[in-house]
Amino acid sequence: MFIFQLASYFYWPGDKNRGRYLLLLFLMLLYNITGGLFPDPKINIPINIQEMIAYGTGFLMASYFPYYFYRGFELKELRWHALFGVPLFLMLPYLIFFVIVYAINGKLNVDIRFGMIVPFIYAIVLLWVMFTAIRHKHEVNRNKNEYLEEVSMYCAVTPWLALALFGLVEESQLIEVLCTNTGIIIITVLYLAKSVTNARQEFNRKLNESAIDGISPEEFLASCLHYSLTRTEILIVQKLYKGMKNSEIADSMFISSETVKKHIQNIFRKALVNNRAALIHKLQNRREQ
């Protein structure tokens, strides 16, 4: 999933939501890798450093969620927590107890008990603030689908913000990983569903905005679907209608001219034509054929 989203991000570099989700996946991978490998005496890294890294990735992952909600869902009430609360009440206790104090006394169990107190209390506060922020946002103009999506995301991240609780009760790593990764799976499903919806809406918007002489957008789409053209091929046909050259189409769609050429060849093959003029005529007069 990370590799797929990374490739998609390079294809659409301006998609900030995809960038934020990509960072979420990267932190999740980092947390699982360090949590699975460390501590291990066979690895040529001091055990105390391994423990610092393993706990650090967990804190880092939990610290990212307030910012993810603040920017991704435009929850303005989370701004202070995303920019200041998390560094003060999550990252600072980690640095004090899991890095400095642990480096001095080497007693991880003792440091966990004291180091988790402030993050545990703050996690409860943060969960409440996130919930009220979502509720306040939808008090006046509630969008049912958006509201359910944000509540579902909130439920999915709850186990991550409760990492402090796992530390206090010293629960097994298996239970901790199952809870946190289940949340990531839920977030991924929700993100993919939203991406599909947004892609469809964007495609329909571009279709409706396109000025196609002699044919309505609905008739144009029906003609394209009649010849089994793909989404990308339909967008290329729209640009052919405007008289754009292959290089211009490639630049506007962030693909190579060779790729555009192959798509056009496939379009001609499906529509049983040999040139652009014949293609346009055939699409415009499909009902008369």
Side-chain angles (χ1 to χ4, degrees):
M1 180 59 66
F2 176 77
I3 294 174
F4 172 76
Q5 292 299 331
L6 182 62
S8 300
Y9 181 73
F10 284 129
Y11 189 77
W12 291 289
D15 190 345
K16 294 183 179 180
N17 284 331
R18 191 181 300 275
R20 285 189 283 267
Y21 176 68
L22 188 62
L23 179 56
L24 183 71
L25 285 179
F26 173 76
L27 292 176
M28 182 272 288
L29 283 173
L30 189 62
Y31 166 76
N32 277 277
I33 291 172
T34 56
L37 291 178
F38 300 153
D40 185 351
K42 296 179 181 179
I43 298 177
N44 192 27
I45 300 176
I47 293 296
N48 61 341
I49 300 298
Q50 294 186 38
E51 294 281 12
M52 292 177 189
I53 295 173
Y55 277 93
T57 56
F59 271 90
L60 188 62
M61 184 77 195
S63 298
Y64 178 64
F65 282 115
Y67 181 81
Y68 185 78
F69 271 72
Y70 162 58
R71 300 295 295 180
F73 296 110
E74 298 181 356
L75 299 175
K76 297 180 180 180
E77 295 178 37
L78 293 179
R79 184 178 185 277
W80 187 89
H81 293 277
L83 301 180
F84 304 105
V86 164
L88 284 174
F89 303 117
L90 287 182
M91 298 310 298
L92 186 59
Y94 162 75
L95 291 174
I96 293 175
F97 289 95
F98 290 85
V99 177
I100 299 174
V101 176
Y102 178 46
I104 295 174
N105 62 19
K107 299 178 180 179
L108 183 61
N109 291 335
V110 176
D111 298 332
I112 288 176
R113 292 192 184 95
F114 289 100
M116 287 294 190
I117 294 175
V118 172
F120 175 64
I121 296 173
Y122 183 64
I124 297 174
V125 173
L126 197 54
L127 286 173
W128 174 252
V129 172
M130 291 173 68
F131 177 76
T132 55
I134 294 172
R135 188 181 62 183
H136 290 163
K137 177 183 175 181
H138 296 278
E139 277 181 347
V140 180
N141 300 315
R142 175 173 294 187
N143 181 314
K144 183 178 180 181
N145 292 333
E146 187 176 307
Y147 179 71
L148 289 176
E149 178 192 356
E150 292 178 12
V151 170
S152 299
M153 288 283 284
Y154 170 83
C155 294
V157 305
T158 298
W160 280 97
L161 295 177
L163 277 176
L165 175 62
F166 289 132
L168 284 175
V169 300
E170 298 183 6
E171 196 55 78
S172 70
Q173 187 182 37
L174 176 60
I175 295 177
E176 177 183 327
V177 170
L178 284 176
C179 290
T180 52
N181 283 349
T182 299
I184 288 294
I185 293 173
I186 295 173
I187 291 174
T188 298
V189 172
L190 292 171
Y191 177 81
L192 292 178
K194 184 176 181 180
S195 297
V196 171
T197 301
N198 290 342
R200 288 176 177 173
Q201 291 175 348
E202 179 67 13
F203 176 71
N204 291 332
R205 183 186 66 80
K206 290 181 178 180
L207 186 64
N208 291 328
E209 289 178 353
S210 298
I212 304 170
D213 296 333
I215 184 173
S216 69
E218 292 77 14
E219 292 175 338
F220 167 75
L221 179 59
S223 295
C224 290
L225 294 178
H226 175 77
Y227 294 109
S228 302
L229 301 187
T230 65
R231 174 183 178 276
T232 301
E233 290 169 350
I234 293 173
L235 294 177
I236 289 177
V237 171
Q238 288 178 323
K239 299 179 186 301
L240 294 178
Y241 264 87
K242 297 178 180 180
M244 296 176 65
K245 299 178 181 179
N246 287 10
S247 58
E248 295 173 330
I249 296 174
D251 291 339
S252 66
M253 298 183 68
F254 303 103
I255 56 179
S256 68
S257 296
E258 187 63 29
T259 300
V260 173
K261 183 178 179 181
K262 290 180 180 179
H263 279 303
I264 293 176
Q265 290 174 348
N266 288 333
I267 294 169
F268 288 170
R269 176 179 55 79
K270 291 179 180 179
L272 301 177
V273 296
N274 296 318
N275 55 65
R276 300 186 181 197
L279 173 67
I280 293 173
H281 180 270
K282 198 164 191 176
L283 292 177
Q284 287 179 328
N285 300 279
R286 181 180 64 84
R287 291 188 176 182
E288 300 176 4
Q289 297 171 8

